């Protein structure tokens, strides 16, 4: 019981930080909105889609997933910052559950994601994004997105605890997230990729997430070489499996790492 | 009863390549102050972190408030307060935010946490800056806030790692005042420092450590006796040297020594300011003008000189 309330204190701290330095929140929402506008108007014209409603329908799920994937970097650098300041030592000397600090941070970053996704959704709507499924499916898609972000947050915790320098944390996070988001169906159909890459892209968790969201928003997914494969047939199930795998691996690893931090 | 016991602590870093603690043993009697005195890299922070459950030793035993640190760290955390070498507070939040947050983490309810934060801010003269982000605090204010954060729930045992390093003389005096007050309140305190003067001012007992080992232990008086206590130093013109040597020897009751290059005459004295006045009076009546005069307290270097025969090795200059 205390473990949860301790975590919530830490989450509140993060929200308080946002209130004290609102620029952080402003920029973390401006950036994805900028992506929406750039992709919509720069590539929108040149990528032909068979979809009614045009490229923006395909784009929005991709950008949503990309944005929550970057939670990994946010969590990692936030935690690295605390480590550097010695703040972790204070938290670890308090009579609180040792997991509180990292659980609190993952929850805080998820709350931030809710705000960011809402703003992006609104921006998308303005530039023509119109999910055709029902309210329930759309809500489910956003739940998927939040959980995916939450799972990746734990990878961020592990990276944040492992690296010794905040700059390394940045680099490692980008090394993980960039190939994941671009070697996927997020921004362009995989059908144009060389055949072996199509398989990689199809099994990429980002792709299954994007495909799951598209399905939930009422779109048809397009497949090339990989048509009929398990992830392309069952993107929702596959995404859930991926999230479970990520959590099963990284939660215990991170908690253990945190307990031994600076030993 | 002993409130803190460390026995044969060994701690290595970098897979055994750096030996931070090499069989360190110390203890602190309940309600007293122990000062751990040592140069950079001696192992002070490592010792404090082990006792405060942040680090586990490679071998050895540690016990705080009757609880085994390695077996029951979570119980130890309930009775200790720690203020580390570098202020560990959230820089983007205000002083008030920080204290309320830590209060909540000590499981005070919201009202109690706010009340306690206000009390502590008042007590550490931070009320005026309570609503400013820590980023805007001076080093001394940060340090005081950090100490306040470790006192949210009155700890039985308090660890302070170099509480005055980096503070200006005024900040240092303020901090000493605060610490003295805490000690009057009955807390058991282990504090580390690089300044003999500070240990002298605050501690009942002093251990001197170097290369992860205790090299001397005693009351500050005992240590000072070993080091030789205060010295009186006078610098005079060449022509007055012999007369001054005579005066200083007579007043101090010790044979005065001369540094020829600096024309500095010095001798250990037991009663500093009285001897100083007497020397000046005698010089005055002889018509000798002192170019420079003063009392020199023994420094950490002097302690090391007399204990180990070599000056404290500064391994790395971090500050
Ligand atoms: N995380 C670490 N990795 C490697 N070596 C370390 C680490 N922490 C400390 N050391 C080494 O262990 C030794 C003792 O360090 P410690 O920090 O305990 O010294 P200290 O007495 O607190 O010094 P200072 O006065 O500079 O704070 C030093 O040689 C230091 O370089
Ligand atoms: Mg230190």
């Amino acid at each position: 019981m205390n473990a949860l309330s301790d975590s919530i204190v830490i989450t509140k701290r993060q929200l308080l930080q946002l209130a004290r330095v609102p620029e952080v929140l402003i920029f973390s929402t401006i950036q994805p909105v900028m992506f929406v506008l750039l992709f919509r108007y720069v590539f929108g014209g040149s990528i032909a889609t068979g979809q009614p409603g045009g490229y923006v329908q395909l784009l929005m799920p991709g950008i949503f997933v990309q944005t929550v994937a970057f939670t990994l970097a946010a969590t990692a650098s936030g935690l690295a910052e605390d480590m550097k300041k010695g703040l972790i030592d204070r938290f670890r000397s308090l009579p609180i559950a040792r997991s509180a600090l990292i659980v609190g941070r993952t929850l805080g970053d998820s709350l931030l994601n809710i705000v960011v996704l809402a703003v992006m959704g609104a921006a998308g709507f303005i530039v023509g994004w119109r999910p055709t499924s029902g309210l329930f499916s759309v809500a489910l898609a956003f739940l998927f997105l939040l959980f995916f972000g939450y799972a990746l947050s734990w990878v961020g915790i592990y990276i944040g605890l492992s690296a010794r320098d905040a700059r390394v944390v940045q680099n490692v996070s980008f090394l993980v997230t960039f190939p994941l988001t671009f070697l996927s169906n997020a921004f362009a159909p995989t059908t144009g990729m060389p055949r072996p890459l199509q398989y990689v892209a199809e099994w990429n968790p980002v792709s299954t997430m994007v495909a799951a969201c598209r399905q939930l928003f009422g779109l048809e997914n397009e497949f090339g070489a990989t048509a009929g494969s398990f992830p392309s047939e069952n993107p929702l199930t596959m995404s859930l499996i991926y999230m479970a795998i990520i959590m099963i691996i990284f939660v215990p690893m991170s908690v253990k790492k945190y307990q031994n931090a600076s030993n | 009863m002993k409130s803190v016991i460390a026995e044969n602590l060994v701690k290595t870093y970098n897979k055994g390549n750096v030996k931070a603690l090499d069989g360190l043993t110390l203890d602190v009697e309940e309600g007293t102050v122990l000062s751990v005195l040592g140069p950079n890299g001696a192992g002070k922070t490592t010792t404090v972190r082990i006792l405060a459950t942040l680090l586990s030793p490679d071998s050895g035993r540690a016990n705080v408030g009757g609880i085994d640190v390695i077996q029951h760290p979570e119980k130890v955390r309930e009775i200790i307060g720690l203020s580390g070498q570098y202020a560990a507070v959230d820089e983007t939040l205000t002083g008030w935010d920080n204290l309320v947050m830590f209060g909540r983490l000590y499981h005070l309810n919201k009202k109690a946490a706010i009340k306690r934060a206000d009390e502590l801010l008042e007590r550490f003269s931070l009320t005026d800056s309570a609503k400013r982000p820590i980023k805007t605090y001076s080093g001394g204010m940060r340090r005081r806030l950090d100490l306040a954060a470790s006192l949210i729930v009155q700890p039985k045992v308090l660890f302070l790692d170099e509480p005055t390093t980096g503070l200006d003389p005024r900040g240092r005096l303020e901090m000493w005042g605060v610490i003295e007050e805490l000690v009057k309140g009955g807390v058991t305190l282990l504090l580390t420092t690089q300044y003999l003067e500070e240990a002298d001012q605050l501690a009942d007992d002093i251990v001197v450590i170097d290369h992860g080992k205790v090299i001397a232990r005693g009351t500050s008086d005992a240590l000072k006796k070993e080091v030789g206590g205060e010295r009186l130093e006078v610098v005079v013109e060449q022509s007055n040297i012999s007369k001054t040597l005579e005066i200083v020897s007579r007043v101090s009751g010790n044979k005065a020594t001369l540094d020829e290059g600096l024309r500095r005459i010095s001798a250990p004295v037991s009663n500093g300011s009285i001897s100083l006045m007497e020397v000046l009076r005698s010089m005055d009546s002889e018509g000798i003008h002192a170019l420079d005069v003063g009392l020199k307290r023994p420094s950490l270097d002097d302690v090391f000189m007399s204990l180990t025969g070599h000056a404290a090795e500064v391994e790395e200059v971090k500050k």
Side-chain angles (χ1 to χ4, degrees):
Chain A
M1 201 52 235
N2 269 344
L4 185 65
S5 64
D6 292 342
S7 307
I8 290 171
V9 176
I10 303 287
T11 305
K12 277 197 190 145
R13 152 182 175 242
Q14 225 171 318
L15 300 184
L16 206 51
Q17 284 178 335
L18 290 178
R20 298 276 180 246
V21 197
E23 296 92 302
V24 176
L25 184 58
I26 293 172
F27 283 105
S28 43
T29 43
I30 283 183
Q31 196 182 319
V33 169
M34 190 187 71
F35 267 113
V36 171
L37 298 179
L38 281 178
F39 276 90
R40 164 74 176 81
Y41 292 107
V42 177
F43 297 131
S46 51
I47 298 180
T49 65
Q51 301 286 347
Y55 179 58
V56 71
Q57 312 306 328
L58 285 180
L59 168 70
M60 287 310 292
I63 289 207
F64 281 138
V65 175
Q66 184 199 37
T67 302
V68 294
F70 278 116
T71 315
L72 186 152
T75 306
S77 51
L79 191 64
E81 194 69 12
D82 283 348
M83 298 283 289
K84 192 180 71 190
K85 283 188 198 132
L87 201 54
I88 296 268
D89 268 6
R90 155 131 296 136
F91 285 121
R92 290 173 78 238
S93 74
L94 295 176
I96 58 173
R98 283 228 156 165
S99 55
L101 185 77
I102 48 183
V103 173
R105 178 162 287 281
T106 56
L107 291 177
D109 286 329
S110 290
L111 284 181
L112 188 57
N113 272 344
I114 294 181
V115 177
V116 172
L117 287 174
V119 174
M120 283 177 72
F125 196 80
I126 292 170
V127 299
W129 173 57
R130 298 285 184 278
T132 55
S133 58
L135 197 59
F136 175 76
S137 301
V138 173
L140 191 61
F142 279 107
L143 265 185
F144 260 72
L145 287 166
L146 284 176
F147 274 114
F148 188 59
Y150 187 73
L152 287 179
S153 219
W154 280 98
V155 183
I157 294 277
Y158 190 76
I159 293 174
L161 288 171
S162 306
R164 290 182 208 179
D165 190 297
R167 279 162 300 180
V168 178
V169 171
Q170 282 279 330
N171 292 336
V172 173
S173 313
F174 285 130
L175 265 179
V176 175
T177 44
F178 264 102
L180 270 179
T181 48
F182 285 97
L183 246 178
S184 77
N185 58 3
F187 302 110
T190 54
T191 41
M193 296 180 183
R195 211 162 222 280
L197 274 191
Q198 285 195 30
Y199 288 104
V200 176
E202 218 56 63
W203 284 90
N204 177 347
V206 169
S207 295
T208 69
M209 273 299 298
V210 173
C213 287
R214 285 185 182 146
Q215 191 173 317
L216 288 169
F217 290 142
L219 297 179
E220 291 277 325
N221 279 298
E222 272 182 62
F223 304 105
T226 57
S229 70
F230 184 77
S232 40
E233 291 292 312
N234 309 283
L236 275 91
T237 315
M238 198 59 217
S239 298
L240 282 176
I241 293 174
Y242 276 135
M243 289 187 242
I245 292 177
I246 294 172
M247 300 275 287
I248 288 168
I249 294 176
F250 282 94
V251 173
M253 257 169 56
S254 301
V255 171
K256 182 143 183 269
K257 189 100 196 163
Y258 178 67
Q259 266 156 5
N260 298 330
S262 61
N263 233 355
Chain B
M1 204 190 90
K2 303 287 183 200
S3 275
V4 178
I5 303 171
E7 234 175 60
N8 271 315
L9 293 179
V10 175
K11 177 73 194 176
T12 54
Y13 292 108
N14 289 349
K15 305 189 171 64
N17 287 326
V18 180
K19 202 156 207 176
L21 295 185
D22 188 10
L24 181 125
T25 298
L26 57 76
D27 56 66
V28 191
E29 184 69 31
E30 190 177 351
T32 69
V33 183
L34 176 76
S35 179
V36 176
L37 183 65
N40 286 141
K44 301 183 293 297
T45 299
T46 307
T47 307
V48 167
R49 296 189 50 165
I50 290 176
L51 292 171
T53 76
L54 297 177
L55 206 60
S56 42
D58 299 349
S59 67
R61 208 172 65 85
N63 188 297
V64 170
I67 305 162
D68 190 297
V69 173
I70 297 142
Q71 301 294 322
H72 303 289
E74 69 293 338
K75 288 202 182 119
V76 171
R77 280 178 218 130
E78 281 174 14
I79 59 160
I80 60 166
L82 166 70
S83 174
Q85 186 165 359
Y86 306 100
V89 282
D90 191 322
E91 302 263 315
T92 48
L93 300 186
T94 68
W96 190 84
D97 290 339
N98 266 288
L99 292 184
V100 173
M101 170 181 72
F102 287 122
R104 298 289 281 154
L105 289 173
Y106 276 106
H107 306 129
L108 301 180
N109 65 35
K110 186 150 191 189
K111 219 167 126 203
I114 290 175
K115 184 159 166 279
R116 187 65 181 144
D118 289 336
E119 269 169 26
L120 285 166
L121 288 164
E122 179 74 44
R123 174 162 164 208
F124 288 89
S125 329
L126 289 167
T127 307
D128 291 340
S129 21
K131 301 282 177 174
R132 275 189 3 220
I134 306 286
K135 269 187 289 211
T136 67
Y137 280 26
S138 73
M141 292 160 74
R142 226 172 267 228
R143 214 55 240 219
R144 290 207 301 275
L145 189 82
D146 192 71
L147 180 56
S150 59
L151 298 173
I152 303 246
V153 173
Q154 181 71 44
K156 280 205 183 109
V157 180
L158 182 61
F159 298 102
L160 302 180
D161 195 3
E162 300 197 25
T164 66
T165 300
L167 299 191
D168 64 13
R170 188 167 143 256
R172 176 164 303 164
L173 281 180
E174 274 177 10
M175 186 55 93
W176 285 0
V178 166
I179 295 173
E180 271 164 355
E181 203 137 293
L182 285 175
V183 172
K184 271 195 216 128
V187 71
T188 303
L189 172 63
L190 186 152
L191 114 148
T192 77
T193 178
Q194 300 189 29
Y195 310 109
L196 183 59
E197 197 189 351
E198 179 161 304
D200 186 19
Q201 175 82 21
L202 300 172
D204 300 305
D205 252 320
I206 300 175
V207 298
V208 184
I209 69 171
D210 190 20
H211 297 299
K213 270 203 207 90
V214 173
I215 56 173
R217 159 155 209 168
T219 61
S220 86
D221 281 344
L223 273 176
K224 274 217 221 129
K225 204 169 277 168
E226 198 161 345
V227 180
E230 274 179 324
R231 295 181 74 80
L232 186 147
E233 297 183 347
V234 207
V235 179
V236 293
E237 301 281 5
Q238 191 68 38
S239 56
N240 294 325
I241 285 180
S242 59
K243 266 195 185 142
T244 312
L245 267 171
E246 223 168 81
I247 293 171
V248 174
S249 301
R250 176 171 53 79
V251 173
S252 68
N254 290 308
K255 191 172 161 18
T257 55
L258 168 69
D259 182 326
E260 292 196 33
L262 297 171
R263 301 189 314 279
R264 189 176 63 197
I265 293 142
S266 68
V269 288
S270 49
N271 203 332
S273 46
I274 293 176
S275 308
L276 183 66
M277 275 197 302
E278 218 172 313
V279 166
L280 284 176
R281 219 176 285 130
S282 306
M283 283 171 67
D284 198 43
S285 65
E286 298 266 350
I288 303 172
H289 176 63
L291 298 176
D292 190 12
V293 62
L295 287 171
K296 190 171 170 282
R297 294 277 195 86
S299 66
L300 178 61
D301 265 344
D302 297 327
V303 175
F304 269 80
M305 256 331 174
S306 67
L307 288 174
T308 64
H310 65 82
E313 287 162 33
V314 177
E315 289 191 2
E316 46 192 336
V317 183
K318 291 184 203 159
K319 286 150 210 114

